[in-house]
Amino acid sequence: MRKPNTIKDARSLRDTREFIWLSDIHYDPYYGQAPAVGHCNATMSPKYGQRECDSPKALVQSALSQMAKAISPADFILITGDFFRHESDKLVDSVNQMTTVLANLSNIIRFVFPENMSIIPCIGNNDVTPDYYLDIANASETLNTLTQAFLPFLREEEIPTFSRGGYLARNVTDRLTILSLNTIVYSSNHNPESQSTIKDPFDQFEWLQSQLEIARSSERAVYISGHISPSIGSYRLKQLWRESYLRKYYLIVNKYEDIIAGQLFGHIHSDEFRLTSSKTPLLLAPSLTPIFGNNPSFRRVYYTAAGEIFDYDTYYLDVENNQTWMQAPSFREAFSLPDMTYDSLRHILDNFERVWKTFLTRQHTYNMELVPEECDKDCQKDWKCILTSISRKGYDDCVSNNGEEDKKSVPSTARITLVAGLLVASVVLLVIIVILAKRWVGKRHYRLKVAETDAGLSLPEIS
């Protein structure tokens, strides 16, 4: 297939398809009341939310209304986790409150979109209570509760794996499969911490590999999706997955990189990517909640029938100014790139001194208050290391190596093969040296206004 040369050219191709991507809703039913997250506990709190607070009902309804307008002709909707607010454990009877809100929210989302629209959920760390707590040995009640809450999204054949481990596989087109992972169990913050040595929680890695094998034999492309990404965070520079799970994941991904067309995650609330040992970049979505300073947003993603993601539009609400939904320049427009392949994202890193302001503006979803006046060489080096590191060690090594990533931090399939080959060659060479020695001894990575917030779809109440 020929590569699109322009945005217009790419989107006019016959095989161009679309999906909607929403992440980190963090709906707070107590916004404007005493139990609200953050400082938004007064009745006079702004209707559509404010920074340092989770999403109020009006913001969720407004976002869904805008998504409904942007949905045609999308193939599916991906929601990469954290439907519920932060600090759920501070609520009275938190489990029942969370369950009720998740079920109501799922029904509202299902109501907004056509009945045949495929909606794929991922479980986030704030969709269990306490945060990050999922007892692998006694998870059936929690997972059955989540299954019931997300029932409006699930297909009958997905219920067994979702209720057993919080993961699912769905064919969204005749050539593309989405795998939704439960990433809570891999998190560096997962509790009970005593379960961190379990080799394959819920047998999910075994399932992942079997699904990738099925996809390969069926000549299907795959998107791996989840909430917490297998990388480091850009805020605290913390490794987000435990080391053993990180390595296991990339060993599997690198083995099947010929069919993996996307790795899609949320959690960090900002618009970023990671370049890893895999040829398929990690794409990280910004959040709907404005709690960490970003403007609320969602994406319309463009991809080919073969699964290659080549662009996306970001729709965001200027939450503290004109409270109007805006459409940002697309990814390719913003960075003047032909696509979103590994090489194109590498071009951003190689030219970071020129594009850093664009990157940081988009990272915070156009909250210019968070964009620094300057990003000097140390700042640029730091970002290059963040965007190419999946572990804290990899980041530290990169920084100490003046911005050059440690390509040995997680071995790719090719590197494993190379290392194995070198070991064999070394052994052979050693044998030859010994024989010769005996012989010798014996003689020697524009804003467009979309619509007013209150316009459009009339939605049921979220309770």
Coordinates of all heavy atoms in Angstrom, one line a residue, residues 218-259:
S218 N -4.1 -16.5 11.7 CA -5.3 -16.0 10.9 C -4.9 -14.8 10.1 O -5.8 -14.2 9.5 CB -6.4 -15.7 11.9 OG -6.8 -16.8 12.7
E219 N -3.7 -14.4 10.2 CA -3.2 -13.2 9.4 C -3.9 -11.9 9.8 O -4.3 -11.1 9.0 CB -3.3 -13.4 7.9 CG -2.4 -14.6 7.4 CD -2.4 -14.7 5.9 OE1 -3.3 -14.1 5.3 OE2 -1.6 -15.4 5.4
R220 N -4.1 -11.8 11.2 CA -4.8 -10.6 11.7 C -3.7 -9.7 12.4 O -2.8 -10.2 13.0 CB -5.8 -11.0 12.7 CG -6.9 -11.9 12.2 CD -7.9 -12.3 13.2 NE -8.7 -11.1 13.7 CZ -9.7 -10.6 13.1 NH1 -10.2 -11.1 11.9 NH2 -10.3 -9.5 13.5
A221 N -4.0 -8.4 12.4 CA -3.2 -7.4 13.1 C -3.8 -7.4 14.5 O -5.0 -7.7 14.8 CB -3.2 -6.1 12.5
V222 N -3.0 -6.9 15.5 CA -3.4 -6.9 16.9 C -3.0 -5.5 17.5 O -1.9 -5.0 17.3 CB -2.7 -8.0 17.7 CG1 -3.0 -7.9 19.2 CG2 -3.2 -9.4 17.2
Y223 N -3.9 -5.0 18.3 CA -3.6 -3.9 19.2 C -3.6 -4.5 20.6 O -4.6 -5.1 21.0 CB -4.7 -2.8 19.2 CG -4.7 -2.0 17.9 CD1 -5.8 -1.1 17.6 CD2 -3.7 -2.0 16.9 CE1 -5.9 -0.4 16.5 CE2 -3.7 -1.3 15.8 CZ -4.8 -0.5 15.5 OH -4.9 0.3 14.4
I224 N -2.6 -4.3 21.4 CA -2.5 -4.6 22.8 C -2.9 -3.3 23.5 O -2.2 -2.3 23.4 CB -1.2 -5.1 23.2 CG1 -0.8 -6.4 22.5 CG2 -1.1 -5.4 24.7 CD1 0.6 -7.0 22.8
S225 N -3.9 -3.4 24.4 CA -4.3 -2.3 25.1 C -4.4 -2.6 26.6 O -4.5 -3.7 27.0 CB -5.7 -1.8 24.7 OG -6.7 -2.8 25.0
G226 N -4.3 -1.5 27.4 CA -4.3 -1.7 28.9 C -4.3 -0.4 29.5 O -4.3 0.7 28.9
H227 N -4.3 -0.4 30.8 CA -4.3 0.9 31.6 C -2.9 1.4 31.8 O -2.5 2.4 31.4 CB -5.1 0.8 32.9 CG -5.1 2.1 33.6 ND1 -5.7 3.2 33.1 CD2 -4.6 2.4 34.9 CE1 -5.6 4.2 34.0 NE2 -4.9 3.8 35.0
I228 N -2.1 0.6 32.6 CA -0.8 1.0 33.0 C 0.2 0.5 32.0 O 0.3 -0.7 31.7 CB -0.5 0.4 34.4 CG1 -1.5 0.9 35.4 CG2 0.9 0.9 34.8 CD1 -1.4 0.1 36.7
S229 N 1.0 1.4 31.4 CA 1.9 1.0 30.4 C 3.2 0.4 30.9 O 3.7 0.7 32.0 CB 2.3 2.3 29.5 OG 3.1 3.1 30.3
P230 N 3.8 -0.5 30.1 CA 5.0 -1.2 30.5 C 6.2 -0.2 30.2 O 7.0 -0.4 29.2 CB 5.0 -2.4 29.6 CG 4.2 -2.1 28.4 CD 3.2 -1.1 28.9
S231 N 6.3 0.8 31.0 CA 7.4 1.8 30.8 C 7.6 2.6 32.1 O 7.1 2.2 33.1 CB 6.9 2.8 29.7 OG 5.8 3.5 30.1
I232 N 8.3 3.7 32.0 CA 8.4 4.6 33.2 C 7.4 5.8 33.0 O 7.1 6.1 31.9 CB 9.8 5.1 33.4 CG1 10.3 6.0 32.3 CG2 10.8 4.0 33.6 CD1 11.5 6.8 32.6
G233 N 7.0 6.4 34.1 CA 6.2 7.5 34.1 C 7.1 8.8 33.9 O 8.2 8.8 34.4
S234 N 6.5 9.8 33.3 CA 7.3 11.0 33.1 C 7.2 12.0 34.3 O 8.0 13.0 34.3 CB 6.8 11.7 31.8 OG 5.4 12.0 31.9
Y235 N 6.3 11.8 35.2 CA 6.2 12.7 36.3 C 7.1 12.4 37.5 O 8.0 13.2 37.8 CB 4.7 12.7 36.8 CG 4.5 13.6 38.0 CD1 4.7 15.0 37.9 CD2 4.0 13.1 39.2 CE1 4.5 15.8 38.9 CE2 3.7 14.0 40.3 CZ 4.0 15.3 40.1 OH 3.8 16.2 41.2
R236 N 7.0 11.1 38.0 CA 8.0 10.7 39.1 C 9.1 9.9 38.6 O 10.0 9.5 39.4 CB 7.2 9.9 40.1 CG 6.1 10.7 40.8 CD 5.4 9.9 41.9 NE 4.3 10.6 42.5 CZ 3.1 10.5 42.1 NH1 2.7 9.8 41.1 NH2 2.1 11.2 42.8
L237 N 9.2 9.6 37.3 CA 10.2 8.8 36.7 C 10.3 7.4 37.3 O 11.3 6.8 37.4 CB 11.6 9.5 36.8 CG 11.7 10.9 36.2 CD1 13.0 11.5 36.4 CD2 11.4 10.8 34.7
K238 N 9.1 7.0 37.7 CA 9.0 5.7 38.3 C 8.7 4.6 37.3 O 8.0 4.8 36.4 CB 7.9 5.7 39.4 CG 7.7 4.4 40.1 CD 6.6 4.5 41.2 CE 6.5 3.2 42.0 NZ 5.5 3.2 43.0
Q239 N 9.3 3.4 37.5 CA 9.1 2.3 36.7 C 7.7 1.8 37.0 O 7.3 1.5 38.2 CB 10.1 1.2 37.0 CG 9.9 -0.1 36.1 CD 11.1 -1.0 36.3 OE1 12.3 -0.6 36.3 NE2 10.8 -2.3 36.5
L240 N 6.8 1.6 36.0 CA 5.4 1.4 36.3 C 5.0 -0.1 36.4 O 4.0 -0.4 37.0 CB 4.5 2.0 35.1 CG 4.7 3.5 34.9 CD1 3.8 4.0 33.8 CD2 4.3 4.2 36.2
W241 N 5.9 -1.0 35.8 CA 5.7 -2.4 36.0 C 6.8 -3.0 36.8 O 8.0 -2.5 36.7 CB 5.6 -3.1 34.6 CG 4.3 -3.0 33.9 CD1 3.4 -2.0 34.0 CD2 3.8 -3.9 32.9 NE1 2.4 -2.3 33.1 CE2 2.6 -3.4 32.4 CE3 4.3 -5.1 32.3 CZ2 1.9 -4.1 31.4 CZ3 3.6 -5.8 31.4 CH2 2.4 -5.2 30.9
R242 N 6.6 -4.1 37.5 CA 7.7 -4.8 38.2 C 8.6 -5.5 37.1 O 8.1 -5.8 36.0 CB 7.1 -5.9 39.1 CG 6.3 -5.3 40.2 CD 5.9 -6.4 41.3 NE 4.9 -5.9 42.2 CZ 5.2 -5.2 43.3 NH1 6.4 -4.8 43.5 NH2 4.2 -4.8 44.1
E243 N 9.8 -5.6 37.4 CA 10.9 -6.0 36.5 C 10.6 -7.3 35.8 O 10.7 -7.4 34.5 CB 12.2 -6.1 37.2 CG 13.4 -6.3 36.3 CD 13.7 -5.0 35.4 OE1 13.4 -3.9 35.9 OE2 14.3 -5.2 34.4
S244 N 10.2 -8.3 36.5 CA 10.0 -9.6 35.9 C 8.8 -9.6 34.9 O 8.9 -10.3 33.9 CB 9.7 -10.7 37.0 OG 8.5 -10.3 37.7
Y245 N 7.8 -8.9 35.2 CA 6.6 -8.8 34.3 C 7.0 -7.9 33.0 O 6.6 -8.2 31.9 CB 5.4 -8.2 35.0 CG 5.0 -9.0 36.2 CD1 4.6 -8.3 37.3 CD2 4.9 -10.4 36.1 CE1 4.2 -9.1 38.4 CE2 4.5 -11.1 37.2 CZ 4.1 -10.5 38.4 OH 3.7 -11.2 39.5
L246 N 7.8 -6.9 33.3 CA 8.3 -6.1 32.2 C 9.1 -6.9 31.1 O 8.8 -6.9 29.9 CB 9.2 -5.0 32.7 CG 9.4 -3.7 32.0 CD1 8.1 -3.0 31.7 CD2 10.3 -2.8 32.8
R247 N 10.0 -7.7 31.6 CA 10.8 -8.5 30.7 C 9.9 -9.6 30.0 O 10.1 -9.8 28.8 CB 11.9 -9.2 31.5 CG 13.0 -8.2 32.0 CD 14.2 -8.9 32.6 NE 15.2 -7.9 32.8 CZ 16.1 -7.7 31.9 NH1 16.1 -8.3 30.7 NH2 17.1 -6.8 32.1
K248 N 9.0 -10.2 30.8 CA 8.2 -11.2 30.2 C 7.3 -10.6 29.1 O 7.2 -11.2 28.0 CB 7.3 -11.9 31.3 CG 6.4 -13.0 30.8 CD 7.1 -14.2 30.3 CE 6.2 -15.3 30.0 NZ 6.9 -16.5 29.5
Y249 N 6.7 -9.5 29.3 CA 5.9 -8.8 28.3 C 6.7 -8.5 27.0 O 6.2 -8.9 25.9 CB 5.3 -7.5 28.9 CG 4.6 -6.7 27.9 CD1 3.2 -7.0 27.6 CD2 5.1 -5.6 27.2 CE1 2.5 -6.2 26.7 CE2 4.4 -4.9 26.3 CZ 3.1 -5.2 26.0 OH 2.4 -4.4 25.1
Y250 N 7.8 -8.0 27.2 CA 8.6 -7.6 26.0 C 9.2 -8.8 25.2 O 9.3 -8.8 24.0 CB 9.7 -6.6 26.3 CG 9.1 -5.2 26.4 CD1 8.9 -4.6 27.6 CD2 8.7 -4.5 25.3 CE1 8.3 -3.3 27.7 CE2 8.1 -3.2 25.3 CZ 7.9 -2.6 26.6 OH 7.3 -1.4 26.7
L251 N 9.4 -9.9 25.9 CA 9.9 -11.1 25.2 C 8.7 -11.6 24.4 O 8.9 -12.0 23.2 CB 10.3 -12.2 26.3 CG 11.6 -11.9 26.9 CD1 11.8 -13.0 28.0 CD2 12.8 -12.1 25.9
I252 N 7.5 -11.5 24.9 CA 6.3 -11.9 24.1 C 6.1 -11.0 22.9 O 5.9 -11.4 21.8 CB 5.1 -12.0 24.9 CG1 5.2 -13.2 26.0 CG2 3.8 -12.3 24.1 CD1 4.1 -13.2 27.0
V253 N 6.1 -9.7 23.2 CA 5.8 -8.7 22.2 C 6.8 -8.7 21.1 O 6.5 -8.6 19.9 CB 5.7 -7.3 22.8 CG1 5.8 -6.2 21.8 CG2 4.5 -7.1 23.7
N254 N 8.1 -8.8 21.4 CA 9.1 -8.9 20.4 C 9.0 -10.1 19.5 O 9.3 -10.1 18.3 CB 10.5 -8.8 21.0 CG 10.7 -7.4 21.6 OD1 10.2 -6.4 21.2 ND2 11.5 -7.4 22.7
K255 N 8.5 -11.2 20.1 CA 8.4 -12.4 19.3 C 7.3 -12.3 18.3 O 7.3 -12.9 17.2 CB 8.0 -13.6 20.3 CG 7.8 -14.9 19.6 CD 7.5 -16.0 20.6 CE 7.3 -17.3 20.0 NZ 6.9 -18.4 21.0
Y256 N 6.3 -11.4 18.6 CA 5.1 -11.3 17.7 C 5.0 -9.9 17.1 O 4.0 -9.4 16.7 CB 3.8 -11.6 18.4 CG 3.7 -13.1 18.8 CD1 4.1 -13.5 20.1 CD2 3.2 -14.0 17.9 CE1 4.1 -14.8 20.5 CE2 3.1 -15.4 18.3 CZ 3.5 -15.8 19.6 OH 3.5 -17.1 19.9
E257 N 6.2 -9.2 17.0 CA 6.1 -7.8 16.5 C 5.7 -7.7 15.0 O 5.3 -6.6 14.6 CB 7.5 -7.1 16.7 CG 8.6 -7.7 15.9 CD 9.9 -7.1 16.2 OE1 10.0 -6.2 17.1 OE2 10.9 -7.4 15.6
D258 N 5.7 -8.8 14.3 CA 5.2 -8.8 12.9 C 3.7 -8.6 12.8 O 3.2 -8.1 11.8 CB 5.6 -10.1 12.2 CG 5.1 -11.3 12.9 OD1 5.2 -11.4 14.1 OD2 4.5 -12.2 12.2
I259 N 2.9 -8.9 13.9 CA 1.5 -8.7 13.8 C 1.0 -7.7 14.8 O -0.2 -7.3 14.7 CB 0.8 -10.1 14.1 CG1 1.1 -10.6 15.5 CG2 1.1 -11.1 13.0 CD1 0.1 -11.7 15.9

